[in-house]
Amino acid sequence: MPKILIIEDEASIRAVLKEILLDQKELKLEIDQAKDGFEGLQLLETNSYDLAFCDIKMPKMDGMEVLQKAKEKNINTPFIMISAHGTTEMAVDAIKMGAYDFLQKPPDLNRLLITVRNALDRSSLVKETKSLRKKVSRKYEMIGESPALNSVKEMIEKVAPTEARVLITGPNGSGKELVARSIHEKSKNSDGPFVEVNCAAIPSELIESELFGHEKGSFTSAIKQRIGKFEQAEGGTLFLDEIGDMSLSAQAKVLRALQENKITRVGGDKDISVNVRIVAATNKNLKKEIAESRFREDLYHRLGVILIDVPSLKDRREDITALIDKFLHDSSEEYGSKKKEVDAKAVKMLEAHPWEGNIRELRNVIQRLVIMAGDVIKPEDVRKYL
Ligand SMILES: Nc1ncnc2c1ncn2[C@@H]1O[C@H](COP(=O)(O)OP(=O)(O)OP(=O)(O)O)[C@@H](O)[C@H]1O
Ligand SMILES: [Mg+2]
């Protein structure tokens, strides 16, 4: 139920406004009232309103001051200012100070209702974005307190706020992508995009156009201009995943982009400057790839200003219980069911498993067990489905 606050010194106007709003039955509004600015601010601080009406001319504290104080206190409720003596300047001032809208008193009914609907739509969008943000950052939460993982987390805290390039190594499914996302989240560019390129999945003849884009007509199938990943990541982070699988010719082109912070679209002739934080990852041993001439040493040095090695799960078995708990929780949320328990013996068995596929394998096993086992996951379930 959307909640609206009316801050207005005249009881008769409060009553009329309330009546008009409650008449809009389909909006299912809940209305509170405040007879002056002090009471209004107090209510705003202790409740979460989707919208506030605020009279401008009031004794004690005028409406503009209420608005200003609310902004200072980081109250995000949209304000609709109302005044009987409104001038254009007053309306402009109110909007400049962050009011959502300004209405003359007595307000035109249609205009009033349109403004209310728009303000409520905006407020529900803001709420939704907030809860999605929370969900996303929970999705990328790094679970585990083992010394091995804690040292990775410490590295992330240190390097994220810098501009430094980071090369993440570690076995399959150990959490390299999670580390990359976490660096982005904690960086100065966290409001910018996080763009991922899986270098192993793109055929080498297409990688150049994928990364740098192309101009229309630059090759047969280039029917439109295309913006590459480097440009898409402008102001944010470009995650070059599986960089160890990139062809040598693509490596040469990426090297140039990293050396000069400039790219050229395929078929284009101008250099385009890019401001992008580069984070790369691989499960290959790049030193070995270099020794065998499959990876350019100069590119390695350009990429890996900071190296983060993500440990395999068998080197941090103490994290397994917490990870099981997290995946059980995620599954129960996903299926909307009660969170399952794991019998102590079954936990022991899971802890002893080699986990060659690391955390991804553990997550898949838990998902399988949640679907196949009863309310309590027992040793025989583990034996059967591991
Ligand atoms: N510390 C962690 N806490 C919770 N979940 C994790 C953790 N590490 C990894 N995961 C989860 O495990 C899965 C695999 O992680 P991720 O994709 O980051 O691994 P990766 O090292 O990039 O794998 P690959 O080498 O196959 O690309 C993902 O679902 C990720 O969310
Ligand atoms: Mg990965």
Side-chain angles (χ1 to χ4, degrees):
M1 257 209 277
K3 278 178 86 172
I4 296 187
L5 175 65
I6 302 171
I7 311 169
E8 161 70 67
D9 57 318
E10 275 181 68
S12 58
I13 296 183
R14 284 203 304 271
V16 172
L17 254 178
K18 181 171 174 178
E19 200 179 323
I20 294 176
L21 293 169
L22 288 180
D23 261 353
Q24 315 306 311
K25 298 253 183 331
E26 76 285 3
L27 293 180
K28 297 196 178 71
L29 301 175
E30 195 184 321
I31 314 264
D32 282 349
Q33 308 184 27
K35 63 181 181 315
D36 58 47
F38 290 103
E39 207 185 325
L41 279 172
Q42 211 181 7
L43 284 170
L44 281 164
E45 271 180 278
T46 47
N47 292 272
S48 122
Y49 291 105
D50 299 283
L51 176 61
F53 279 95
C54 186
D55 186 22
I56 293 190
K57 221 168 148 213
M58 291 187 290
K60 292 199 234 176
M61 190 193 298
D62 85 13
M64 299 294 240
E65 200 178 332
V66 179
L67 173 62
Q68 188 187 2
K69 291 229 161 79
K71 294 282 162 206
E72 281 168 11
K73 291 180 199 290
N74 281 325
I75 293 167
N76 292 320
T77 305
F79 269 61
I80 297 178
M81 309 304 286
I82 40 179
S83 173
H85 328 273
T87 59
T88 315
E89 287 88 82
M90 215 182 221
V92 171
D93 281 350
I95 304 288
K96 268 195 194 147
M97 275 174 63
Y100 177 76
D101 205 346
F102 179 92
L103 295 177
Q104 285 282 359
K105 243 179 357 185
D108 170 72
L109 187 63
N110 272 332
R111 168 115 159 75
L112 172 80
L113 294 178
I114 288 172
T115 304
V116 168
R117 278 171 209 274
N118 287 344
L120 291 179
D121 279 351
R122 193 200 76 144
S123 166
S124 77
L125 273 180
V126 169
K127 270 192 195 157
E128 203 174 320
T129 310
K130 261 193 201 151
S131 92
L132 280 176
R133 276 244 168 91
K134 245 201 217 142
K135 253 197 198 154
V136 169
S137 73
R138 230 184 313 140
K139 182 166 170 220
Y140 298 126
E141 196 186 349
M142 238 186 272
I143 305 291
E145 295 294 332
S146 59
L149 191 68
N150 276 342
S151 79
V152 168
K153 287 185 185 169
E154 269 168 38
M155 295 269 279
I156 294 173
E157 293 295 332
K158 273 191 206 148
V159 302
T162 70
E163 312 260 303
R165 291 182 185 144
V166 183
L167 176 63
I168 306 163
T169 54
N172 277 329
S174 57
K176 296 183 291 297
E177 181 175 341
L178 215 57
V179 170
R181 286 187 186 271
S182 169
I183 291 171
H184 175 72
E185 289 292 311
K186 292 171 197 291
S187 76
K188 289 192 213 99
N189 298 341
S190 62
D191 283 337
F194 178 88
V195 176
E196 185 187 344
V197 189
N198 186 334
C199 304
I202 305 166
S204 61
E205 48 310 349
L206 291 183
I207 195 143
E208 206 184 339
S209 141
E210 183 76 18
L211 291 174
F212 309 124
H214 60 241
E215 297 296 349
K216 185 177 166 177
S218 54
F219 49 90
T220 328
S221 59
I223 44 175
K224 279 199 295 219
Q225 184 198 55
R226 172 189 188 151
I227 302 298
K229 301 281 185 186
F230 266 88
E231 282 182 83
Q232 286 171 27
E234 177 67 31
T237 304
L238 179 64
F239 177 43
L240 299 173
D241 202 5
E242 319 282 3
I243 187 114
D245 295 285
M246 200 186 253
S247 69
L248 281 166
S249 69
Q251 288 177 32
K253 283 157 190 158
V254 169
L255 177 69
R256 182 197 161 227
L258 298 192
Q259 273 167 340
E260 300 170 15
N261 292 314
K262 271 186 201 143
I263 57 128
T264 313
R265 294 188 194 136
V266 176
D269 47 16
K270 63 176 195 293
D271 284 344
I272 299 169
S273 297
V274 283
N275 166 28
V276 169
R277 167 85 171 271
I278 303 286
V279 176
T282 181
N283 52 25
K284 293 212 162 137
N285 178 345
L286 288 187
K287 283 267 180 337
K288 189 164 158 260
E289 297 296 301
I290 292 168
E292 290 166 13
S293 306
R294 280 193 299 265
F295 201 83
R296 295 180 66 120
E297 185 162 15
D298 44 7
L299 179 59
Y300 175 83
H301 292 298
R302 283 279 164 190
L303 286 170
V305 176
I306 306 285
L307 295 171
I308 297 185
D309 189 39
V310 185
S312 62
L313 187 54
K314 66 176 189 302
D315 294 328
R316 45 175 158 137
R317 290 187 186 274
E318 54 276 49
D319 291 340
I320 291 177
T321 338
L323 285 163
I324 293 174
D325 191 67
K326 147 102 172 150
F327 297 143
L328 285 174
H329 175 86
D330 288 354
S331 300
S332 75
E333 267 202 347
E334 193 179 331
Y335 304 123
S337 55
K338 204 174 135 250
K339 191 171 143 196
K340 295 202 175 178
E341 316 249 325
V342 190
D343 163 295
K345 253 201 187 135
V347 173
K348 282 261 159 3
M349 288 168 72
L350 289 167
E351 277 176 339
H353 186 72
W355 300 117
E356 292 298 334
N358 293 293
I359 300 182
R360 178 173 300 113
E361 182 188 1
L362 174 61
R363 196 196 56 187
N364 292 344
V365 166
I366 298 297
Q367 279 179 343
R368 208 177 306 150
L369 285 167
V370 164
I371 295 169
M372 305 305 283
D375 284 346
V376 178
I377 296 169
K378 304 219 170 74
E380 54 267 34
D381 297 318
V382 175
R383 228 167 278 132
K384 216 157 137 195
Y385 300 112
L386 188 62

